[in-house]
Amino acid sequence: MDSTFKSDRFHDECGVFGIYGHTEAANLTYLGLYGLQHRGQESAGIASSDGTRIYSHKGMGLVADVFDNDSIKSLAGSSAIGHVRYSTAGESHIKNAQPFVVEYARGGIAVAHNGNIVNAFVIRAEFEAHGSIFQSGMDTETIVHLMSSCKERYLIDRITFALSKLKGAYSLVFLTDKGTMVAARDPLGFRPLCLGRLRDSFVVASETCALDLIEATYIRDIEPGEIIIMDKTGLHSYKPFAPVEPKQCIFEFIYFARPDSHIFGKSVYEVRKNFGRILAQENPVDADIVIPVPDSGVPAAIGYAEESGIPFEKGIVRSHYMGRTFIEPQDAIRHFGVKLKLNAVKDVIKGKRVVVVDDSIVRGTTSRKIVKMIRDARAKEVHMRISSPPSISPCYYGIDTPTTEELIASNHKVEEINNYITSDTLSYLSLEGLYKAVGQDTNFCDACFTGKYPVKVEDEVKAPQLVLFK
Ligand code: AMP
């Protein structure tokens, strides 16, 4: 199997969007993708349909770089789907940008996927053994091969057949050349996907912040295991799979989703603030100020400050003209990026005992630089507080994480990490505290903190790891 496919399966931090039945479908999708840009910054794409064929435009880079007036105009029709994707150094390639568009015996279809199908390599190997030719390195491509191999007459049956063969995480939006739109979420509901309305049109998006941007009304989340078809006859919901206990990604709350979104029925901002409150109860410290690592640590730092009574200050300022530190394709840029992105406010920090709140420690490199930055600004003490438990295991369901060996908490005790990042004290939110903050302790995947994977991950999926994090 080609190496592009293997390594690319791990870089599926993505956002999806779709709108059915609006004269400005492509334009609104373009705006929706702006709202989802934080979920992927390496490529962006839109596919539209006017009921006769599919039009598509995609490219490498940010939404603003990929589209202009002409490309939006070329996306004719009243339904459109869009995608933003984060991919990585070696294997980032336009052929892996989505929506993925193909022609098969039943016509044209476009698909946009957020998640990671852990048995895609098995399915692909079977198809290839029978002579199928794959165009991309994406796990998503297996879905259309499965659909095309299915002889069922109706779209819903072909999609159900394809999805029934998949293991892992998928929040999907499809668009056919007839202009029919389909949204689907895997039975465990790993990744978020919501449904909204804009006057007479239906909208689906990874996060509600994309609905807000186009002034669509949130209707509900698409349920785990649900398939929704939107066509001329309206909206039809199907639940063809046996219900199972959902395993929604807890890390979406911690880091990935935008704080102004509601996902899995909860406000991301409120949940993050609760993380901070409980973090303060579990790990109090005498200090003068609480400062967040912007932007990911902000709501938890506010919660920590409120609960502890220690004043909140913006002790670190972030330049907004760079991408997220991790979402940069080269190691050298990532390391340099911390300095380019963050700077301490010396007047706030000088002479103070500082509590620094961040959402997670991955490899410890950012935290180490941040602690140094705060010490250089003449802090008296630096106490690091992390609003999630130690990250010990990689995610195979769509969040980009390094190997177990590279996750600092998988092979170091908290005290050792504290020494490495050179803080005076370091503490993490407990797993119990995490669930107390979320308000329930079932329905979530916490494999990154526990190593308990709800869907078996084959060794082939674990083996090739990110070039990015080497
Ligand atoms: P480090 O100190 O190098 O371990 O990096 C920790 C920082 O990475 C924290 O500020 C997190 O907000 C951020 N982070 C955590 N998980 C991810 C991820 N999957 N992608 C990008 N950034 C992340």
Side-chain angles (χ1 to χ4, degrees):
M1 195 176 307
D2 100 10
S3 63
T4 309
F5 176 63
K6 275 196 165 184
S7 55
D8 257 354
R9 277 175 294 131
F10 298 96
H11 318 145
D12 291 328
E13 294 182 341
C14 301
V16 296
F17 184 91
I19 181 157
Y20 179 84
H22 198 291
T23 48
E24 298 279 318
N27 238 317
L28 289 163
T29 303
Y30 167 71
L31 291 171
L33 292 183
Y34 256 96
L36 299 173
Q37 186 77 84
H38 62 289
R39 296 185 71 87
Q41 293 140 35
E42 190 149 301
S43 69
I46 297 178
S48 70
S49 168
D50 58 4
T52 64
R53 56 163 286 199
I54 289 176
Y55 305 84
S56 98
H57 180 83
K58 48 194 180 181
M60 305 304 288
L62 299 174
V63 177
D65 303 328
V66 171
F67 297 97
D68 58 20
N69 273 334
D70 289 342
S71 51
I72 300 279
K73 250 190 222 146
S74 72
L75 294 162
S78 59
S79 32
I81 64 171
H83 189 264
V84 284
R85 177 169 198 258
Y86 160 57
S87 179
T88 189
E91 315 297 350
S92 62
H93 199 281
I94 184 69
K95 74 177 182 188
N96 289 338
Q98 293 193 14
F100 187 68
V101 185
V102 286
E103 288 286 335
Y104 72 123
R106 304 280 180 167
I109 192 154
V111 57
H113 171 208
N114 172 209
N116 187 28
I117 298 163
V118 296
N119 66 335
F121 69 97
V122 181
I123 300 171
R124 178 170 171 145
E126 279 168 18
F127 275 112
E128 286 181 332
H130 289 94
S132 294
I133 296 168
F134 280 69
Q135 296 173 27
S136 77
M138 288 181 289
D139 54 350
T140 314
E141 192 176 348
T142 55
I143 303 172
V144 288
H145 277 267
L146 285 164
M147 283 178 69
S148 124
S149 72
C150 175
K151 303 286 173 269
E152 293 289 346
R153 181 167 165 210
Y154 296 109
L155 179 65
I156 179 63
D157 297 325
R158 292 196 295 279
I159 288 187
T160 303
F161 169 81
L163 302 190
S164 73
K165 304 285 178 205
L166 306 181
K167 291 188 183 133
Y170 53 85
S171 279
L172 293 163
V173 191
F174 299 86
L175 183 66
T176 72
D177 55 0
K178 313 280 178 307
T180 299
M181 192 165 91
V182 183
R185 225 175 132 201
D186 67 76
L188 295 172
F190 282 103
R191 300 281 142 231
L193 192 63
C194 67
L195 176 69
R197 212 176 172 125
L198 182 63
R199 289 182 287 279
D200 294 331
S201 14
F202 294 111
V203 186
V204 291
S206 292
E207 291 182 39
T208 57
C209 63
L211 302 185
D212 295 344
L213 200 150
I214 61 159
E215 298 186 343
T217 321
Y218 168 79
I219 302 176
R220 64 176 177 86
D221 281 6
I222 289 167
E223 288 176 31
E226 184 178 9
I227 303 173
I228 290 182
I229 299 211
M230 287 147 276
D231 62 17
K232 284 182 197 129
T233 60
L235 181 145
H236 309 275
S237 163
Y238 302 85
K239 289 178 191 154
F241 307 116
V244 285
E245 186 176 81
K247 291 288 169 201
Q248 304 172 118
C249 169
I250 198 91
F251 206 72
E252 291 271 354
F253 278 129
I254 293 161
Y255 170 78
F256 204 39
R258 242 169 67 164
D260 50 337
S261 286
H262 277 69
I263 56 163
F264 312 144
K266 290 169 199 294
S267 150
V268 176
Y269 183 85
E270 282 306 323
V271 170
R272 281 187 194 163
K273 227 173 128 182
N274 278 343
F275 289 153
R277 286 196 189 104
I278 294 167
L279 184 62
Q281 290 165 11
E282 291 183 341
N283 303 288
V285 60
D286 273 341
D288 303 309
I289 52 171
V290 175
I291 69 167
V293 175
D295 290 322
S296 52
V298 173
I302 294 173
Y304 194 101
E306 275 183 17
E307 183 67 26
S308 63
I310 304 169
F312 173 91
E313 292 281 2
K314 284 195 84 176
I316 300 174
V317 166
R318 177 178 166 186
S319 157
H320 287 267
Y321 302 101
M322 283 207 50
R324 286 182 177 193
T325 319
F326 259 70
I327 303 183
E328 291 297 333
Q330 280 177 20
D331 210 31
I333 297 173
R334 187 166 62 82
H335 285 252
F336 191 48
V338 178
K339 275 180 241 153
L340 279 174
K341 259 177 64 172
L342 303 176
N343 192 22
V345 184
K346 296 184 187 61
D347 308 288
V348 169
I349 286 170
K350 193 174 167 197
K352 303 273 175 37
R353 295 169 301 167
V354 182
V355 178
V356 189
V357 180
D358 202 358
D359 66 282
S360 57
I361 294 181
V362 182
R363 303 203 308 179
T365 45
T366 314
S367 314
R368 189 178 153 97
K369 285 169 203 287
I370 287 167
V371 173
K372 181 174 184 309
M373 186 187 289
I374 295 165
R375 288 209 190 279
D376 288 348
R378 313 278 273 285
K380 219 152 93 188
E381 293 169 15
V382 184
H383 302 280
M384 197 75 173
R385 293 292 177 270
I386 303 299
S387 64
S388 64
S391 299
I392 57 164
S393 307
C395 177
Y396 299 111
Y397 311 126
I399 297 266
D400 211 348
T401 40
T403 58
T404 309
E405 297 72 50
E406 289 166 298
L407 285 167
I408 192 166
S410 78
N411 40 38
H412 292 91
K413 297 194 181 82
V414 174
E415 204 39 52
E416 291 168 339
I417 304 172
N418 185 43
N419 289 341
Y420 175 71
I421 66 171
T422 73
S423 38
D424 290 287
T425 67
L426 163 69
S427 19
Y428 289 84
L429 183 66
S430 69
L431 194 64
E432 300 70 46
L434 184 82
Y435 281 121
K436 209 168 141 195
V438 173
Q440 64 190 99
D441 62 2
T442 55
N443 297 351
F444 288 102
C445 171
D446 55 19
C448 48
F449 306 126
T450 61
K452 291 180 193 152
Y453 291 99
V455 174
K456 191 172 171 285
V457 182
E458 306 290 337
D459 289 343
E460 286 83 344
V461 176
K462 288 182 186 162
Q465 290 287 342
L466 293 182
V467 180
L468 174 66
F469 295 100
K470 288 271 182 303

